[in-house]
Amino acid sequence: MSAGATSTAARGRPLVRHYVGTVEEFEPDRFRTFEIEGRPVGVVRTAAGFFACRNRCPHQGADICAGAVSVGTMVPSQPMQYVYSADRCIVACPWHRWEFDLRDGEGIQGITKKRLVTYAVEVDEDGRVAVLMRGRKGAGS
Amino acid sequence: MNPTTIERDQGAMTAEAERLPALIDCDVHPIVADVSVLRPNMSARAARRAFGADVPVYSRDPNRIPHPSSGLRLDAKTPSGGPPGSDPQFALEQWIDPCAIAAAVLVPVQAGLVIPWGDEAAGSEFLAAFNTHLLEEWTGLDSRYRSVISISPYDARGAVAEIERLAGVEGICGIFIPHGAVALGRSQMFPIYEAAEHHGLPIILHPTGAEANFAEAPRIAGGSPDTYPERHAMLAQPGQQIFTSMIFGGAFDRFPGLKLCLVEYGVTWAAPLLWRMDRAYEQGDGELSGLRRKPTDYLADNIRFTTQPLDEPPEREMLWKMLDLMQAERTLMFSSDYPHWDTDDPTTILTSRLPERLRARVAHDNAVECFGDRLGL
Ligand code: FES
């Protein structure tokens, strides 16, 4: 379990910082995966910042962090027109290629109502990267 | 300070899978990363046809409809960087072991390479080398991999010879026909079915990727699709054609023990199509008078379907209704399509998409009834 965890009281259970490495240990657009409090979690560094999510696709449970990360995706358009939007930071599942926004876990183009579980990430002044997760129910802080 | 780095946490999935009967996966795809390894087992003439003569041709785009991303799973590249499905040891580690698969039917869609070839004999020779290679490399490595005999649809004599060569080999469980320009209910195919019935080898059909892409491949009726989603949605159509052609062509009357496995063509269309076929049969003007039974009556005895890609209607009860209508308790077998991009996860399919009453039949029983001892269980 992560040592050096810092608690911040928020909405009932506290947010706990779990340090997962330093900035330079993260290759751009390549997830690194961890087990944090028994949960499979992936952390990725992108041009739009760091993101973290649960390493489980809401569709059929694939390890979504083995998927492709990109800033931007194709958006709805007329047939045979290809319109790209750089508005969103995306992970595409390695299986059926469902895409999810890494900021809020929303399925792109309404492919599903289920959300990818996401976590906040903080980088401190020493370049240490932390995933913020709510502590388990009943766990002391 | 040190969260554990994990490869793949499949604990929950495996626990679910363990509660099901021994799982049989009826669609796992091996590929030969470099088919030129087959060259030493082919004549110079056939090799020239298969691999070309180093004469570059710049003006042919071989694929009418490219895949928008990749036809393969992004997480299934082999440790040495090879394409997904090219390393049987890695497939054991990534799929067969974690999913507790007791037997996997290898469906080598690469056999479809021969569909556009003009040289039938070279096609048969290539497929013989291909069959031997997969038997040695996959089934030879692990007996859970069950191989098939790939044959050319254009060369019935060559196909029968290949069936006779391999039917008695341990590890062989079926016959794969790459679907080309020949309707499978035609009597020219009957020598193949006769050999298949004689040896207790089900006939397996699966889209090869050639459909609507290459010359001599099945077309999509009404005009070719222009995009991948359009083509993918229409892949049921060649499956429906095989189904109709083999029933109305009399294949199951001539060979009552023959089994046809339609892999990856979808399943929910079967019952409505049979209603139409039954009515056509009853109203027929004598053209079908050779058929001893009405089309629906062949279903449970002769025809099997596989699950992937299982339609995902808004409510799963809609799917359950269609499955009941197609007699899924007798006709439906689990398939994953590993390592293709649209792999289905067995636990998700069996426990949250299918009704409990079908789970054991789909996971295991129907495949055992279809393939029998050839699954090596
Ligand atoms: S499992 Fe992720 S898109 Fe299907």
Side-chain angles (χ1 to χ4, degrees):
Chain A
M1 206 40 50
S2 306
T6 311
S7 298
T8 308
R11 272 182 285 152
R13 276 173 285 141
L15 272 177
V16 180
R17 283 186 181 77
H18 298 275
Y19 289 99
V20 290
T22 56
V23 169
E24 57 277 11
E25 288 172 339
F26 288 83
E27 252 181 81
D29 299 335
R30 294 281 301 266
F31 269 101
R32 291 178 63 205
T33 52
F34 307 94
E35 190 171 304
I36 303 178
E37 293 206 357
R39 300 162 179 148
V41 174
V43 182
V44 65
R45 172 189 182 185
T46 76
F50 273 86
F51 296 97
C53 66
R54 191 173 159 84
N55 190 13
R56 279 287 165 276
C57 179
H59 181 217
Q60 289 195 22
D63 288 358
I64 195 165
C65 297
V69 175
S70 61
V71 176
T73 187
M74 308 305 295
V75 293
S77 60
Q78 292 299 304
M80 307 310 281
Q81 282 184 356
Y82 296 97
V83 181
Y84 192 79
S85 162
D87 267 4
R88 313 185 84 166
C89 195
I90 301 297
V91 58
C93 179
W95 290 21
H96 310 94
R97 308 292 201 277
W98 286 15
E99 293 180 329
F100 296 88
D101 192 320
L102 282 167
R103 286 174 311 190
D104 56 11
E106 190 186 341
I108 300 297
Q109 296 190 26
I111 191 152
T112 176
K113 290 197 179 83
K114 293 184 197 158
R115 279 179 186 253
L116 176 67
V117 177
T118 56
Y119 307 103
V121 181
E122 270 185 8
V123 180
D124 67 19
E125 60 270 24
D126 298 326
R128 295 192 309 163
V129 180
V131 177
L132 273 60
M133 288 170 88
R134 290 199 185 283
R136 289 271 195 214
K137 239 185 198 153
S141 57
Chain B
M1 185 69 200
N2 293 312
T4 327
T5 299
I6 52 171
E7 291 294 322
R8 173 152 177 77
D9 167 20
Q10 277 204 322
M13 289 164 63
T14 307
E16 282 274 3
E18 275 167 6
R19 285 194 282 277
L20 293 164
L23 180 62
I24 297 156
D25 186 341
C26 293
D27 189 18
V28 167
H29 294 298
I31 70 167
V32 182
D34 175 7
V35 286
S36 70
V37 299
L38 307 179
R39 192 186 282 266
N41 294 328
M42 297 169 65
S43 67
R45 193 187 70 81
R48 185 184 182 286
R49 177 62 194 83
F51 310 117
D54 294 330
V55 180
V57 177
Y58 298 108
S59 57
R60 287 187 204 144
D61 180 356
N63 228 339
R64 174 180 162 76
I65 303 170
H67 195 282
S69 50
S70 156
L72 301 164
R73 264 172 56 168
L74 300 178
D75 61 345
K77 266 212 183 105
T78 70
S80 62
S86 62
D87 179 342
Q89 179 61 40
F90 178 64
L92 285 176
E93 291 160 20
Q94 184 176 45
W95 194 247
I96 304 295
D97 288 337
C99 296
I101 291 166
V105 178
L106 300 178
V107 180
V109 292
Q110 223 170 358
L113 282 169
V114 305
I115 288 170
W117 293 8
D119 187 329
E120 295 166 9
S124 287
E125 216 182 292
F126 170 80
L127 291 176
F130 181 66
N131 292 333
T132 299
H133 180 84
L134 291 180
L135 252 173
E136 288 174 0
E137 298 294 318
W138 287 71
T139 308
L141 174 73
D142 192 298
S143 62
R144 286 171 290 177
Y145 290 132
R146 310 308 287 176
S147 281
V148 300
I149 307 169
S150 294
I151 56 158
S152 165
Y154 308 132
D155 178 13
R157 191 194 304 236
V160 171
E162 183 64 357
I163 294 167
E164 296 301 336
R165 181 176 81 90
L166 293 177
V169 173
E170 164 54 27
I172 289 290
C173 74
I175 296 167
F176 179 61
I177 308 182
H179 193 188
V182 181
L184 292 169
R186 292 233 173 130
S187 58
Q188 71 198 74
M189 301 299 287
F190 284 7
I192 296 169
Y193 303 151
E194 186 174 10
E197 184 193 47
H198 173 73
H199 291 291
L201 290 166
I203 298 285
I204 298 169
L205 270 292
H206 179 298
T208 62
E211 295 80 3
N213 262 327
F214 294 110
E216 301 301 309
R219 299 176 185 217
I220 300 298
S224 291
D226 295 325
T227 63
Y228 183 83
E230 187 182 349
R231 174 182 173 275
H232 192 258
M234 293 305 290
L235 279 180
Q237 204 182 76
Q240 292 166 353
Q241 200 281 338
I242 297 161
F243 181 86
T244 312
S245 175
M246 285 188 67
I247 292 176
F248 280 161
F252 304 115
D253 267 328
R254 286 286 298 275
F255 311 105
L258 185 66
K259 293 267 194 304
L260 167 68
C261 302
L262 289 171
V263 180
E264 206 176 312
Y265 291 102
V267 298
T268 50
W269 48 262
L273 180 56
L274 278 168
W275 299 332
R276 291 176 72 94
M277 290 170 68
D278 284 352
R279 178 48 59 96
Y281 171 72
E282 286 155 8
Q283 292 177 334
D285 60 2
E287 273 185 302
L288 301 176
S289 56
L291 285 192
R292 284 195 280 271
R293 307 160 78 187
K294 72 175 191 295
T296 295
D297 295 339
Y298 297 97
L299 188 60
D301 289 342
N302 300 106
I303 300 171
R304 296 292 176 271
F305 299 88
T306 59
T307 51
Q308 187 279 341
L310 196 60
D311 290 340
E312 299 178 69
E315 290 162 30
R316 61 184 184 173
E317 289 74 12
M318 296 173 179
L319 174 67
W320 294 1
K321 183 77 192 163
M322 300 310 289
L323 295 180
D324 285 343
L325 291 168
M326 62 165 284
Q327 303 173 36
E329 74 283 359
R330 294 284 311 280
T331 64
L332 188 61
M333 310 186 292
F334 174 77
S335 63
S336 71
D337 197 31
Y338 174 87
H340 286 184
W341 69 281
D342 45 354
T343 301
D344 267 344
D345 168 55
T347 305
T348 306
I349 295 303
L350 293 164
T351 62
S352 71
R353 298 280 163 76
L354 295 180
E356 196 174 351
R357 64 179 185 279
L358 287 182
R359 283 176 199 158
R361 300 290 312 172
V362 172
H364 175 269
D365 303 353
N366 288 337
V368 168
E369 285 174 15
C370 179
F371 293 99
D373 294 343
R374 288 190 176 271
L375 291 176
L377 299 175

